Amino acid sequence: MQSSKPILLVEDDDVDVMTVKRALADLRVGNPLVHSTNGEEALAYLQQQGNHKPCLILLDLNMPKMNGVEFLKVIKADKVLKTIPVVVLTTSKSERDVTEIFENGVAGYVVKPADYKKFVEAIRTINLYWSLSELPSGE
Amino acid sequence: MSVRGKCKKILLAAVFVAGSVCVCWLAQRNIKNDVERSVFVIILAAVALGYFLYKIFGGSVSELRSADNEMADGDLDSEAQARYVARLEEILQKLSAKLSSANLKLETEIASRPTDQRKLQQQVKHLNCFYGLSKLVNTPQITLEQILEQTPELIHEAYCYPDITCVRITLDGVHYKTDNFQKSEFSQCAPINVRGDKAGAVEAYYFGKQLPGDESPLLAEEQDLLEAVAQRLGALTERKRAGEKLELFRDLIDRSNDCIFVIEPEWGRILDTNYRACEDLGYTRQELLDMTVKDIEESIKDDSTWQEHVKELKLEGDILIQGQLKRKNATKFFVETSLKLVSQAKKDYIIAITRDITERKQAEQRQAELIQELKDFAYIVSHDLKAPLRGIKTLADWISTDYADKLDEQGKEQMDLLLKRVERMHNLIDGVLQYSRVGRVTEEKVQVDLNELIPNVIDMVAAPENIEITVEDKLPVIECEQTRIMQVFENLLSNAVKYMDKPKGLIKIGCVQEDGFWKFSVADNGPGIEEQHFEKIFRIFQTLSSRDEFESTGIGLTVIKKIVELYGGKIWLESKVGEGSTFFFTLPKQTEEVADAKLQANIAR
């Protein structure tokens, strides 16, 4: 991944935040991690002038205030923000959720593994993919 | 003859002579030349003369009277007396002869006339009786009892001697009689027959004196009357009772909790209906009789829909349809209608019995809501309980690895226990989810050859080397959801493996054909289960051993039971403690329809 650009993690569970941070550290991913605990916060960050636009957004679905789906709908309606790839990272396996998420234009849907080692593997794959894939050259 | 009588006679004769002379003189003077008038006057004179002669000399009656008068005078001599008596006798004889002949004539006449007259009189009385009865019967709302109470009086009036005749009607052991009722030796009786059985009788008794000449005081005509009345009463009883039955039946239909309609098949016109239907729909009976089924049943929008139903009805005889009835005020309610085709007098009718199923529908809806709530609950359990659990597990993992050098043996053991409990909790939650997924989440049904599938399942179970799993019979090919049937065998086998307590474990899979079913069995030589637990082990979260001894959620058998029952089968076990257990389950050979119906019902929820 373009190591200069931050990764935005939208997640309300502290342990999950720690897990992602730890996994990124274990994988020696150099991108800075920006953390928001809900959709509102994340939007505020994205709309704040001067903030670096993230190269990837890791999004949880069940969050207070503005949940993942609501957040998705807002940024996919935004001309600038809609180019940022969003990977959903959630515990929900529900078919209904998956369909709705893809309808809203996500780049991926990953179910959080309960086991940390598997979790690290999942993050490694995501990192690998987005290192390989070209990203739109935003600002 | 008395002096006074003689004077009278002489006076009369003098008047007569004077009259005659007078007439002749007048004739001479006035009608000299008129011959016709002369003749008329002479005849008139002659008649007058004749009358006077008769008055004076003739007529035995006046003579008798005069003779009597003379007797009363008492001044006759004995000779004259004797003569007079003789003459009286002579006259008397003449008179009595006349009298007796007249009497004879009269008697003959009287004797012939009364027969007709009496007959006529009786007939009038009988007709009166019938008229009275007819009037009585036609009185609106009169009951049979009221008719029977009043009839004896009517009959009694029709009798020849009403004052000394009494009448009694008996019907089904109940008496109805005239006030003067008393039994006597003179009686008449006619039976009342209802539907060919004798149900009672009409009796009449004459309690006056015996008539002279042994003549019966009760006439043959009266017997006829009695029989006619009895017959009439019998017919009336039949009719009234049939009417009462019909009324009772009508009442029953009206009071029914269901709306009942009689419908003409072709266009669905309503021919009759019950009170309940009027009440429920808010129409009068007359309004409904002017309507067709299209007007009141929401699901029958046009004639062709109705005719489709009739077509099906003619094939099946009776059908059940669900729909909604429309009230006059445009509101609707859910109904289930049973339609039945009946034929009467070569015409087809449809009887529609419609039941309000609003409550049932509401209950169904409530049930669906509850089931949805439960599913949501399962989902919430999966998500909200699993999330913190995952956190606990992750943190415990990190502590174990990051602080491995700082934890002593006791600390490490406690961390191990903590991780095991977390794992168990995780399995429980997964088990609940698995259970809730059966029947809710379905996959395509395919032809599964169990001879190929079972070896795979045996591999998955990965039994230790001391346990041998064998397939004893050739297994069938069944149509089912592959994952489900795998789940059943896997759970049964892994249970058998998990609890195996013998150094050499034997697990045998068997299958036999039974009437319409496949009967599968999984037999082990494990510890066995006490009979008192046979039911219990199929209940959710129910385990027979401590969870620390055998890691088990107590969901596996519950899931199997749910799957087997969903497919229309049964599951049970036989076991002997210390020797082993055999779990049996059946699957219908045609699982398709049963499972389909159940799955459809599940999906619909």
Side-chain angles (χ1 to χ4, degrees):
Chain A
M1 264 189 273
Q2 296 167 312
S3 59
S4 61
K5 286 193 173 182
I7 293 171
L8 175 62
L9 174 66
V10 193
E11 170 68 76
D12 67 324
D13 187 319
D14 289 339
V15 178
D16 280 346
V17 176
M18 277 173 74
T19 313
V20 173
K21 279 183 178 165
R22 190 174 166 125
L24 290 174
D26 283 358
L27 294 166
R28 307 195 199 296
V29 175
N31 303 56
L33 188 82
V34 178
H35 169 228
S36 306
T37 55
N38 62 59
E40 265 182 21
E41 249 184 68
L43 268 183
Y45 171 82
L46 290 171
Q47 283 157 356
Q48 180 69 47
Q49 291 291 321
N51 278 349
H52 290 289
K53 290 282 175 287
C55 61
L56 183 69
I57 298 172
L58 296 174
L59 179 68
D60 185 26
L61 291 182
N62 290 289
M63 289 178 298
K65 291 183 184 170
M66 182 187 274
N67 68 29
V69 180
E70 287 164 335
F71 172 77
L72 250 185
K73 283 178 179 166
V74 175
I75 67 159
K76 288 301 168 188
D78 187 301
K79 259 187 185 168
V80 182
L81 299 179
K82 73 174 176 188
T83 57
I84 306 170
V86 179
V87 173
V88 168
L89 205 57
T90 181
T91 46
S92 170
K93 276 188 201 169
S94 160
E95 281 289 325
R96 198 177 46 201
D97 283 359
V98 176
T99 312
E100 193 184 1
I101 293 303
F102 275 96
E103 276 168 3
N104 282 292
V106 289
Y109 191 107
V110 177
V111 177
K112 290 176 197 165
D115 185 78
Y116 174 67
K117 287 191 186 87
K118 287 179 186 160
F119 195 99
V120 173
E121 284 310 306
I123 296 294
R124 188 203 300 280
T125 311
I126 292 169
N127 180 48
L128 266 174
Y129 180 78
W130 290 109
S131 300
L132 188 69
S133 170
E134 292 295 331
L135 283 167
S137 58
E139 142 291 330
Chain B
M1 206 178 274
S2 67
V3 180
R4 215 164 65 188
K6 272 184 181 167
C7 287
K8 248 186 190 169
K9 267 193 177 176
I10 290 161
L11 194 68
L12 274 168
V15 168
F16 171 69
V17 171
S20 305
V21 170
C22 229
V23 166
C24 287
W25 179 70
L26 275 169
Q28 189 73 23
R29 212 178 137 200
N30 289 335
I31 42 169
K32 262 184 219 158
N33 303 318
D34 192 340
V35 179
E36 279 173 22
R37 201 171 278 186
S38 308
V39 170
F40 174 71
V41 170
I42 286 165
I43 290 169
L44 201 71
V47 169
L49 186 69
Y51 175 73
F52 275 104
L53 280 175
Y54 173 75
K55 267 292 184 194
I56 294 164
F57 303 107
S60 40
V61 178
S62 50
E63 216 173 320
L64 187 65
R65 199 184 294 137
S66 56
D68 190 44
N69 286 344
E70 276 170 38
M71 279 285 283
D73 288 344
D75 56 357
L76 294 169
D77 51 33
S78 56
E79 193 190 341
Q81 255 182 0
R83 227 177 342 135
Y84 180 67
V85 169
R87 208 167 133 220
L88 263 184
E89 275 174 358
E90 192 189 331
I91 293 167
L92 259 175
Q93 253 173 8
K94 250 197 264 175
L95 274 177
S96 61
K98 263 189 194 169
L99 206 68
S100 72
S101 83
N103 211 18
L104 193 71
K105 210 174 149 191
L106 204 71
E107 259 175 24
T108 337
E109 222 171 280
I110 287 172
S112 68
R113 212 166 54 193
T115 324
D116 297 339
Q117 208 173 2
R118 224 169 55 174
K119 253 189 192 163
L120 210 64
Q121 255 177 355
Q122 276 313 112
Q123 270 173 7
V124 168
K125 278 180 166 185
H126 291 184
L127 282 173
N128 260 338
C129 172
F130 281 128
Y131 172 69
L133 192 58
S134 289
K135 220 168 98 177
L136 199 60
V137 168
N138 291 323
T139 312
Q141 272 147 20
I142 197 159
T143 63
L144 181 64
E145 277 63 37
Q146 284 169 321
I147 294 173
L148 290 170
E149 271 163 21
Q150 294 180 41
T151 310
E153 209 57 52
L154 284 172
I155 302 172
H156 157 250
E157 286 299 327
Y159 266 77
C160 200
Y161 311 100
D163 295 343
I164 39 177
T165 308
C166 59
V167 174
R168 178 171 77 172
I169 296 174
T170 310
L171 188 71
D172 289 337
V174 184
H175 299 303
Y176 306 88
K177 50 200 178 190
T178 50
D179 294 338
N180 62 351
F181 182 78
Q182 54 177 284
K183 283 193 172 182
S184 82
E185 55 174 317
F186 301 106
S187 72
Q188 282 178 335
C189 176
I192 298 176
N193 292 320
V194 177
R195 292 188 179 279
D197 295 326
K198 192 182 168 191
V202 185
E203 299 156 275
Y205 294 93
Y206 169 84
F207 53 85
K209 280 179 191 158
Q210 165 116 40
L211 294 185
D214 276 348
E215 194 187 331
S216 169
L218 297 165
L219 308 174
E221 291 91 344
E222 287 163 349
Q223 177 68 32
D224 292 345
L225 169 79
L226 224 52
E227 275 167 17
V229 170
Q231 201 182 6
R232 188 85 198 267
L233 286 176
L236 186 73
T237 308
E238 258 174 44
R239 214 173 60 212
K240 278 270 176 187
R241 285 191 180 158
E244 275 166 25
K245 266 188 193 164
L246 208 67
E247 217 164 277
L248 197 72
F249 190 62
R250 177 86 226 182
D251 199 42
L252 207 75
I253 286 174
D254 270 342
R255 279 163 193 262
S256 159
N257 272 338
D258 302 327
C259 302
I260 299 172
F261 303 92
V262 180
I263 302 165
E264 166 274 325
E266 198 174 355
W267 303 109
R269 277 185 294 115
I270 297 168
L271 302 176
D272 201 358
T273 184
N274 68 343
Y275 173 75
R276 184 66 190 215
C278 305
E279 189 85 334
D280 278 2
L281 294 173
Y283 288 108
T284 63
R285 192 187 293 264
Q286 203 48 52
E287 281 173 322
L288 279 172
L289 298 191
D290 287 336
M291 297 166 86
T292 71
V293 281
K294 281 180 298 175
D295 301 320
I296 54 165
E297 171 59 61
E298 178 74 10
S299 71
I300 298 169
K301 300 240 185 257
D302 45 36
D303 289 330
S304 64
T305 316
W306 169 248
Q307 281 149 8
E308 280 297 308
H309 284 316
V310 174
K311 218 163 126 190
E312 193 189 343
L313 199 54
K314 279 182 177 163
L315 284 173
E316 305 278 330
D318 57 303
I319 57 171
L320 205 64
I321 55 172
Q322 283 204 0
Q324 275 180 293
L325 281 191
K326 293 183 277 191
R327 292 195 185 91
K328 194 179 185 181
N329 65 11
T331 57
K332 296 166 195 167
F333 59 104
F334 288 104
V335 289
E336 189 174 71
T337 303
S338 133
L339 294 174
K340 202 173 175 65
L341 193 70
V342 292
S343 293
Q344 204 164 36
K346 288 183 182 173
K347 269 188 96 171
D348 282 346
Y349 298 96
I350 290 165
I351 308 278
I353 301 174
T354 291
R355 176 158 294 181
D356 187 340
I357 54 164
T358 308
E359 272 177 34
R360 199 167 84 195
K361 281 273 172 189
Q362 281 168 349
E364 277 172 10
Q365 203 179 343
R366 180 82 194 113
Q367 195 186 19
E369 282 168 12
L370 284 174
I371 286 168
Q372 189 54 48
E373 252 174 58
L374 204 65
K375 280 180 192 167
D376 291 349
F377 179 72
Y379 179 76
I380 289 162
V381 163
S382 86
H383 190 271
D384 290 4
L385 291 189
K386 267 174 118 177
L389 195 64
R390 224 186 38 251
I392 294 168
K393 186 174 166 12
T394 310
L395 291 170
D397 267 343
W398 289 341
I399 293 168
S400 302
T401 49
D402 295 0
Y403 301 95
D405 53 335
K406 293 193 176 131
L407 286 171
D408 59 8
E409 281 309 303
Q410 202 182 352
K412 280 179 185 162
E413 198 193 329
Q414 284 169 359
M415 285 311 292
D416 267 1
L417 282 172
L418 175 65
L419 281 168
K420 273 189 190 156
R421 291 296 182 278
V422 168
E423 187 65 30
R424 186 184 295 167
M425 182 83 181
H426 190 82
N427 290 340
L428 280 171
I429 295 171
D430 270 352
V432 170
L433 276 174
Q434 205 182 42
Y435 179 75
S436 83
R437 280 170 77 87
V438 176
R440 184 166 65 94
V441 179
T442 55
E443 59 182 79
E444 203 191 340
K445 279 195 285 181
V446 289
Q447 294 289 328
V448 177
D449 185 351
L450 292 178
N451 298 299
E452 286 173 22
L453 185 83
I454 297 300
N456 289 341
V457 176
I458 293 172
D459 282 348
M460 275 167 63
V461 171
E465 280 181 9
N466 67 321
I467 298 174
E468 194 191 349
I469 304 177
T470 55
V471 179
E472 301 288 302
D473 306 298
K474 184 166 172 10
L475 300 173
V477 176
I478 56 171
E479 190 178 298
C480 63
E481 294 168 276
Q482 185 160 327
T483 319
R484 298 276 168 262
I485 202 74
M486 276 176 84
Q487 231 173 343
V488 171
F489 279 104
E490 192 192 336
N491 283 358
L492 286 175
L493 289 175
S494 59
N495 273 351
V497 169
K498 192 192 287 176
Y499 295 101
M500 181 56 68
D501 61 346
K502 304 290 187 303
K504 178 94 184 108
L506 289 171
I507 301 171
K508 293 172 182 171
I509 298 169
C511 177
V512 289
Q513 266 196 67
E514 282 191 357
D515 195 23
F517 286 93
W518 297 109
K519 187 169 96 176
F520 297 94
S521 61
V522 174
D524 64 56
N525 62 342
I529 297 166
E530 286 173 58
E531 197 174 339
Q532 75 220 50
H533 298 133
F534 281 8
E535 290 282 319
K536 220 188 208 174
I537 56 168
F538 291 105
R539 282 187 225 146
I540 198 159
F541 297 137
Q542 194 72 55
T543 58
L544 294 180
S545 52
S546 118
R547 286 200 166 96
D548 286 333
E549 197 181 339
F550 290 100
E551 199 53 64
S552 163
T553 57
I555 293 174
L557 281 174
T558 318
V559 171
I560 297 173
K561 187 171 194 273
K562 195 172 171 187
I563 294 170
V564 168
E565 286 177 356
L566 196 65
Y567 277 92
K570 280 191 304 184
I571 183 161
W572 71 99
L573 74 145
E574 286 168 8
S575 184
K576 213 164 185 187
V577 175
E579 288 180 20
S581 313
T582 305
F583 282 83
F584 295 95
F585 68 94
T586 57
L587 290 178
K589 282 182 182 169
Q590 276 130 5
T591 56
E592 204 173 342
E593 285 154 36
V594 184
D596 259 357
K598 288 207 176 186
L599 290 176
Q600 284 305 323
N602 261 295
I603 290 160
R605 282 169 190 161

